[in-house]
Amino acid sequence: MENMQQPRLSRRHFLLGGGCACAASLTGCLSTNRATGRNTFTGFYSIEDDIALGRQEHPKLVKQFGGEYDDPRLQRYVEQIGFKAAQFTEYQFPYKFTIVNSPIINAFALPGGFVYLSRGLLSLASNEAEVAGVLAHELGHVNARHTAERISQSQLAQLGIGVLGLALGNTAVTNALGQVAGLAIQGHSRDQELEADTLGIRYMSRAGYDPDGSVSFLATLREHSMLEAEMNGLPPGSVDEFNIMATHPRTVERVRLAQQHAAEVNVSNAIIGRDPHLGAINGMLYGDDPEQGIIDGNTFVHGPLRFEFTVPDDFLLRNSPTRIAATHQQGAIILFDMAKTDRNRSMLSYIRNVWAPQARFSDAEKLRIDGADAATALTQGNGNGGQVDIRPVAIRGDGETVFRFLFVSPAGASSRFSEGFRRTTYSFRRLSPSEASAIHGRRLVVAPAQPGDSAAALAQTMPFGKFNERAFRVLNDLGPNDNLSPGQLLKIIAA
Ligand SMILES: [Zn+2]
C-alpha cells in the first residue's frame, strides 16, 4: 500500500461499504488515484476490472449508438489525436477510440480506456484542438476512474427505477422515462466534470494542443444546443437531456476555472489544426443515416423498412437504432419500435398475451391501420413522475413483424393527448418501393467560399427550413454578423 495514512471515514463510507465487507478490509476499498491524488472509494474494482468491464460493455454501447461509423481515414485522424493525448495519462490503459454512427453531438467513455465520440460531434468541431479537448476530457474520466466510483456507489444505492418498464416487460419505456442504460452514459457529478476538465487540459496541453480548444468547443455546443431547442419550440437548453451536455454538464466558466487549475496551460506553438480537421471530415455523412430512418420535421421515414408516421407538432421526435421516441414537455411520450410474433396471432391477442401479459387492460379494440390488422387497449402504470396512462398499439407488418406504438401520458391528462395520439396512430403507412428508394442522406463537404457567396445562400441545402442560416453559422463557427471572405474554408451540406 502506498498510502498508509489512516483514511478518514465518514458515515457515508461505511454505508457505501456495507455490501463489500469493507469494515474488515478498509484498505481494499479506499485507494489513492494517481491522476487525481484523491483517496477514492472504488470498492474492489481494480484497474484490471475496469478493463474487463469496458471490454464487456463495449459492443453493447456501440450498438446502442448506431454502430461504428465506418470511415478508416476519419478513424485514423481521431486515433492520432487520442493516442497523442493518451501518452500523458497516469494509467496506461489499452486505449481504444471509436466513432459512433450517430448525428447527435455526444462523447463518453467506458472504464478501462474505451473512448467514444459521435460523427455529429466531429462535424460540429472546428479544429483538432477541439477534438483533442473532448478526447482528453474523456481520458480524464477514465483515469480518475469515475465510473468505478459510480458503480461502487450504485451497487448499494437504490436507483429507484420506475416499475412501468417491468409492468410492460419493456425496458424501452424505463429508458425513455429518463433511466439511461449503462453508467457510462449517465451524467457525471459536478466535481467529476471539473476533475475531468482539469485532467483533460493537462493531457491535451502536454500533447501540444491549444487548451482553448476545450473552451471554444463548449461555446459552440451552447450555441448548437440553444438553436436545437428553438428549432423544437422549447426553452433554451431544454434539449440537453439526450446529448453531451447531459453526460458532461459543464459551463464555459467552469472550464476556464479548470484551465486556471491546470499547471501547464502555456503551450508554445500550440496546435489548433483547423485545416487538418476540415480535411478529415470532408465527405462525411451529415444528419440522420438513411439506413436507420430519417426525421423530417415531425415525420419519421424509414426507407429500408418502408414505413412512415407523423407525431403532433408539440412533440420532439428522436431516433435511436433500437426505437424512436417523441416527447412532450408535459410528460407525455410516444415510443415506436418493432417486434416479432407468430404470423397467425391477432394483434389483440398479441397485446394481451405476448407484449404485456401481466398488464390489466380496459378498452381493448381491434383496429384497421393502413389496411393492416391492428389493435389497441388502455392500461395504467407508474412512471418516474407518478401514475401514467399507457396505450399500446400493435400493427401487423410483413411476415412475423409487428410495428408497435406506446402512448404514455400522465394520469388524468389523457384527454389532452388522446386526439394527437389517435392522429399519430392513423398516420402510420407503408411506403411504396419507389418512395422508399428516393430517401437518401446528406453529406458534409468542405469547400472555399467564392466571391459573392453568402451564408444565407450556402445554407439553403440544410434541412432546417427557416433555421438554415443560423444552423450554417453554428456549424461554421460564424457569428450572426460575420461575413464570408473568399477562399475561407466552409462546411457545406450537400443534399
Ligand atoms: Zn465529462
Side-chain angles (χ1 to χ4, degrees):
M1 257 347 264
E2 271 174 23
N3 193 329
M4 292 303 292
Q5 189 188 348
Q6 183 64 25
R8 269 191 306 140
L9 288 170
S10 65
R11 193 174 117 79
R12 190 158 152 266
H13 279 119
F14 274 108
L15 289 174
L16 290 169
C20 75
C22 279
S25 171
L26 290 164
T27 48
C29 289
L30 283 162
S31 60
T32 306
N33 182 286
R34 291 212 291 268
T36 63
R38 275 194 297 126
N39 274 335
T40 45
F41 176 83
T42 48
F44 286 120
Y45 283 91
S46 64
I47 295 286
E48 290 69 32
D49 291 331
D50 272 6
I51 297 168
L53 190 70
R55 283 213 175 108
Q56 176 197 312
E57 295 299 310
H58 170 74
K60 296 180 214 165
L61 203 60
V62 170
K63 193 172 169 206
Q64 193 176 344
F65 284 87
E68 224 170 295
Y69 181 60
D70 184 18
D71 183 338
R73 202 171 53 103
L74 198 60
Q75 176 65 26
R76 278 196 299 278
Y77 167 70
V78 168
E79 282 180 352
Q80 164 243 321
I81 301 169
F83 286 123
K84 208 189 279 183
Q87 289 177 69
F88 299 97
T89 57
E90 288 78 8
Y91 293 96
Q92 284 310 307
F93 289 102
Y95 290 112
K96 184 172 170 65
F97 299 92
T98 305
I99 306 167
V100 290
N101 186 12
S102 166
I104 292 167
I105 318 296
N106 220 337
F108 39 89
L110 278 174
F114 295 80
V115 174
Y116 307 84
L117 76 182
S118 63
R119 64 174 163 79
L121 186 147
L122 282 169
S123 67
L124 186 63
S126 304
N127 56 51
E128 262 188 87
E130 291 188 349
V131 177
V134 171
L135 295 176
H137 175 93
E138 297 304 330
L139 293 171
H141 282 303
V142 171
N143 279 269
R145 305 190 61 214
H146 287 153
T147 303
E149 276 184 322
R150 292 188 66 105
I151 293 169
S152 303
Q153 288 166 20
S154 68
Q155 276 174 332
L156 299 143
Q158 279 299 321
L159 285 173
I161 292 170
V163 296
L164 173 62
L166 300 174
L168 276 171
N170 184 345
T171 50
V173 183
T174 321
N175 290 345
L177 288 173
Q179 297 291 342
V180 184
L183 287 154
I185 47 174
Q186 284 186 359
H188 292 286
S189 74
R190 218 171 200 274
D191 288 348
Q192 288 180 329
E193 285 309 317
L194 191 60
E195 203 163 72
D197 278 331
T198 305
L199 292 171
I201 287 160
R202 180 193 295 171
Y203 306 148
M204 76 187 290
S205 51
R206 287 186 187 173
Y209 290 106
D210 187 340
D212 277 334
S214 42
V215 176
S216 64
F217 189 57
L218 201 56
T220 305
L221 279 177
R222 286 313 320 179
E223 288 291 312
H224 178 268
S225 163
M226 281 190 286
L227 172 64
E228 214 182 21
E230 205 180 311
M231 285 196 283
N232 290 292
L234 299 167
S238 56
V239 292
D240 285 346
E241 59 189 307
F242 292 103
N243 62 23
I244 193 170
M245 294 310 288
T247 46
H248 309 280
R250 294 183 293 160
T251 63
V252 166
E253 291 68 34
R254 294 217 314 267
V255 176
R256 287 232 165 86
L257 189 65
Q259 265 194 6
Q260 286 163 17
H261 288 173
E264 304 153 60
V265 285
N266 290 319
V267 186
S268 53
N269 299 317
I271 307 165
I272 293 173
R274 179 171 162 80
D275 288 359
H277 178 76
L278 295 178
I281 64 171
N282 191 6
M284 77 184 293
L285 192 59
Y286 178 82
D288 293 333
D289 183 343
E291 289 302 308
Q292 297 168 2
I294 285 181
I295 292 171
D296 185 4
N298 276 52
T299 299
F300 180 78
V301 191
H302 204 301
L305 298 171
R306 288 178 43 211
F307 69 82
E308 69 168 33
F309 64 84
T310 303
V311 301
D313 289 343
D314 48 359
F315 277 75
L316 174 57
L317 194 54
R318 296 262 169 189
N319 188 15
S320 87
T322 47
R323 82 188 71 94
I324 300 131
T327 51
H328 188 276
Q329 275 177 283
Q330 288 168 16
I333 299 175
I334 301 171
L335 294 165
F336 179 89
D337 69 0
M338 290 167 65
K340 287 196 185 302
T341 192
D342 38 308
R343 290 157 190 264
N344 302 322
R345 189 182 287 279
S346 77
M347 288 297 95
L348 203 53
S349 157
Y350 172 75
I351 290 177
R352 280 182 174 146
N353 304 311
V354 181
W355 192 357
Q358 319 93 317
R360 283 186 184 201
F361 286 113
S362 59
D363 294 347
E365 62 176 312
K366 287 189 166 197
L367 306 172
R368 200 95 197 141
I369 298 171
D370 193 34
D373 174 34
T376 188
L378 186 65
T379 187
Q380 279 77 36
N382 290 303
N384 287 344
Q387 283 275 307
V388 288
D389 291 330
I390 306 166
R391 176 175 287 285
V393 172
I395 306 165
R396 170 62 78 183
D398 311 322
E400 296 180 328
T401 305
V402 183
F403 296 106
R404 311 194 302 185
F405 283 106
L406 205 55
F407 297 100
V408 182
S409 53
S414 302
S415 57
R416 189 204 171 302
F417 293 105
S418 60
E419 177 54 26
F421 286 171
R422 214 183 64 85
R423 271 188 286 116
T424 302
T425 302
Y426 285 100
S427 73
F428 179 89
R429 72 176 190 98
R430 306 303 305 271
L431 303 176
S432 72
S434 62
E435 283 174 317
S437 64
I439 300 161
H440 58 269
R442 291 177 162 84
R443 296 263 159 197
L444 186 155
V445 176
V446 176
Q450 304 294 321
D453 272 349
S454 70
L458 292 175
Q460 278 175 12
T461 49
M462 298 193 82
F464 308 115
K466 64 177 178 172
F467 295 101
N468 275 349
E469 183 179 344
R470 262 185 69 197
F472 181 84
R473 286 181 180 277
V474 173
L475 184 66
N476 282 288
D477 215 2
L478 296 166
N481 302 312
D482 288 352
N483 290 316
L484 306 180
S485 36
Q488 175 183 6
L489 287 179
L490 295 168
K491 302 170 193 166
I492 295 164
I493 303 311

